[in-house]
């Protein structure tokens, strides 16, 4: 596959990303594509919706792709025999039939390439002030649990989503590790709980993420690497952070396949750089004493190109 530049060229790595598109701002594919491209991946995007902006603004307009239209786009790729992918990436979805179609496509792509890695962010809801609530229709939970997660290789739920998928509440780190084991048993070999309300050893100004990588060795024995990452809380509500996180985790686990610690350190450090730059810039735009609005809090993606490409490690992970 490598051309004239032989050794210097990495083999082409192609990602099919099925996510939302916004004209203005950074969520879904707009949050995932740029970082992946900067990190050397070919990204083929299917836009599950096309909206003017994310729905946290006062107004939004746009179109939604249905499952038949998704299938039609995939058929076009198949007819041209360009349906070979190394990765599939999915995030926020509101429709069960669309999600079921994604599963069909992933299964077919895994027949084309048995090494295909499916990175799934099972976006269903979150906790506010300790209370969890779903912001997608309830009937998506069984589809994620019974159909999607079993074909996924890497999943990035938050604590609430991990609890929903396993039917088990997390109160302690030990609970979280057991929940991650339950999630491994459902299929994925890499599980990252992207945020939790667990008490951080570094104190209340930190947010805990946990990761677990289970590998089965040739002799059938299993090794599990587990890590904890504590990152400084940033005092603002951002949109698109989960999408950016999943995309960068895809890239860094690809570059460090057997080192979840380093992959997470690079992912979380890059996140910190982007969020710090975003909040600083948003505060300047809003002006002294004013709370930044949705438009001002859009991720400073392009401005963070160097941090995404080569993140200075400012957050360390602890091996558990």
């Amino acid at each position: 596959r490598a051309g004239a530049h032989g050794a210097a060229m990495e083999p082409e790595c192609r990602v099919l990303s099925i996510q939302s598109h916004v004209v203005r701002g950074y969520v879904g594919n707009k949050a995932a594509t740029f970082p992946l491209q900067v990190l050397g991946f070919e990204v083929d995007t299917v836009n599950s919706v096309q909206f003017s902006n994310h729905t946290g603004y006062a107004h939004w307009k746009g179109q939604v792709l249905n499952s038949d239209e998704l299938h039609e786009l995939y058929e076009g790729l198949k007819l041209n025999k360009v349906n070979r992918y190394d990765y599939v990436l999915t995030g926020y979805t509101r429709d069960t039939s669309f999600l079921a179609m994604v599963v069909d496509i992933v299964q077919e792509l895994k027949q084309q390439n048995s090494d295909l890695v499916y990175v799934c962010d099972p976006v269903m809801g979150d906790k506010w002030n300790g209370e969890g609530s779903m912001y997608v229709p309830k009937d998506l939970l069984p589809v994620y649990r019974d159909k999607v997660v079993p074909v996924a290789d890497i999943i990035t739920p938050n604590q609430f989503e991990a609890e929903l998928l396993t039917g088990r509440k997390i109160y302690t780190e030990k609970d979280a590790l057991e929940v991650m084991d339950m999630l491994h048993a459902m299929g994925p070999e890499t599980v990252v709980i992207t945020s939790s309300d667990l008490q951080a050893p570094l104190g209340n100004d930190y947010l805990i993420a946990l990761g677990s990588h289970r590998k089965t060795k040739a002799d059938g024995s299993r090794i599990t690497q587990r890590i904890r990452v504590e990152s400084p809380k940033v005092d603002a509500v951002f949109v698109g952070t989960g999408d950016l996180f999943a995309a960068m985790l895809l890239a860094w686990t690809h570059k460090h396949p057997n080192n979840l610690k380093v992959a997470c350190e690079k992912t979380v450090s890059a996140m910190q750089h982007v969020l710090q730059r975003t909040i600083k810039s948003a505060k300047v735009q809003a002006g002294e004493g004013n709370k930044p609005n949705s438009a001002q809090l859009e991720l400073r993606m392009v401005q963070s190109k160097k941090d995404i490409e080569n993140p200075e490690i400012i957050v360390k992970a602890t091996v558990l």
Side-chain angles (χ1 to χ4, degrees):
R1 262 202 223 183
H5 302 291
M9 276 185 67
E10 276 188 57
E12 174 186 282
C13 195
R14 202 170 271 274
V15 180
L16 178 64
S17 182
I18 306 174
Q19 298 193 64
S20 330
H21 170 80
V22 287
V23 176
R24 169 74 185 246
Y26 293 96
V27 298
N29 272 335
K30 281 283 290 283
T33 306
F34 179 73
L36 284 167
Q37 288 172 330
V38 155
L39 289 165
F41 293 78
E42 280 290 347
V43 188
D44 292 3
T45 53
V46 173
N47 296 328
S48 54
V49 307
Q50 168 163 261
F51 285 172
S52 53
N53 46 265
H54 75 68
T55 57
Y57 283 70
H59 307 280
W60 49 275
K61 298 269 184 203
Q63 299 82 38
V64 177
L65 194 76
N66 67 37
S67 57
D68 290 340
E69 292 163 333
L70 167 62
H71 183 249
E72 191 182 352
L73 291 172
Y74 176 70
E75 282 298 308
L77 297 172
K78 201 158 92 172
L79 288 168
N80 288 311
K81 297 187 171 54
V82 288
N83 60 333
R84 192 191 183 285
Y85 288 95
D86 301 288
Y87 286 89
V88 175
L89 175 62
T90 64
Y92 181 76
T93 307
R94 288 197 64 82
D95 180 70
T96 51
S97 66
F98 192 89
L99 200 51
M101 181 62 70
V102 167
V103 172
D104 290 347
I105 290 171
V106 169
Q107 286 175 316
E108 192 165 316
L109 290 173
K110 282 191 171 192
Q111 287 167 358
Q112 289 294 314
N113 171 21
S114 59
D115 292 332
L116 179 132
V117 172
Y118 174 26
V119 180
C120 170
D121 185 3
V123 182
M124 289 181 283
D126 209 342
K127 290 190 182 180
W128 286 273
N129 311 321
E131 267 310 295
S133 71
M134 286 183 73
Y135 43 58
V136 300
K138 298 250 188 297
D139 56 359
L140 266 82
L141 172 56
V143 182
Y144 272 117
R145 190 186 53 222
D146 306 334
K147 291 202 168 82
V148 182
V149 172
V151 298
D153 301 282
I154 300 177
I155 57 170
T156 59
N158 58 31
Q159 178 181 332
F160 178 61
E161 289 156 348
E163 291 173 344
L164 284 175
L165 288 168
T166 56
R168 164 129 192 229
K169 284 265 192 288
I170 295 173
Y171 300 105
T172 64
E173 194 170 272
K174 184 172 175 286
D175 293 339
L177 299 181
E178 288 170 11
V179 162
M180 290 196 292
D181 283 342
M182 291 169 76
L183 290 166
H184 284 310
M186 291 164 70
E189 75 166 27
T190 303
V191 176
V192 177
I193 297 180
T194 54
S195 67
S196 69
D197 42 26
L198 293 174
Q199 184 62 46
L202 288 172
N204 290 334
D205 298 336
Y206 288 80
L207 200 64
I208 279 198
L210 295 164
S212 179
H213 178 64
R214 174 179 285 184
K215 239 183 118 52
T216 306
K217 296 205 301 212
D219 63 5
S221 65
R222 285 201 298 236
I223 3 173
T224 309
Q225 183 193 19
R226 298 194 179 96
I227 54 145
R228 178 202 310 127
V229 191
E230 298 173 80
S231 52
K233 285 181 182 166
V234 185
D235 184 31
V237 176
F238 301 101
V239 183
T241 47
D243 308 322
L244 174 59
F245 186 98
M248 291 193 302
L249 186 69
L250 182 163
W252 291 116
T253 51
H254 176 78
K255 293 176 196 288
H256 304 284
N258 292 313
N259 198 334
L260 185 61
K261 179 180 189 286
V262 171
C264 286
E265 284 174 344
K266 290 190 177 180
T267 300
V268 175
S269 292
M271 289 296 309
Q272 275 300 313
H273 292 301
V274 174
L275 295 182
Q276 299 295 351
R277 177 175 287 105
T278 301
I279 189 75
K280 227 170 98 179
S281 166
K283 281 178 171 164
V284 171
Q285 282 187 13
E288 198 60 54
N290 298 326
K291 213 170 163 336
N293 64 25
S294 290
Q296 291 160 341
L297 284 168
E298 289 285 4
L299 297 177
R300 297 305 187 275
M301 195 71 74
V302 173
Q303 298 83 339
S304 302
K305 175 177 172 287
K306 287 193 175 70
D307 294 316
I308 291 166
E309 236 175 326
N310 189 16
E312 182 200 341
I313 304 294
I314 54 173
V315 178
K316 294 293 261 188
T318 310
V319 176
L320 301 174

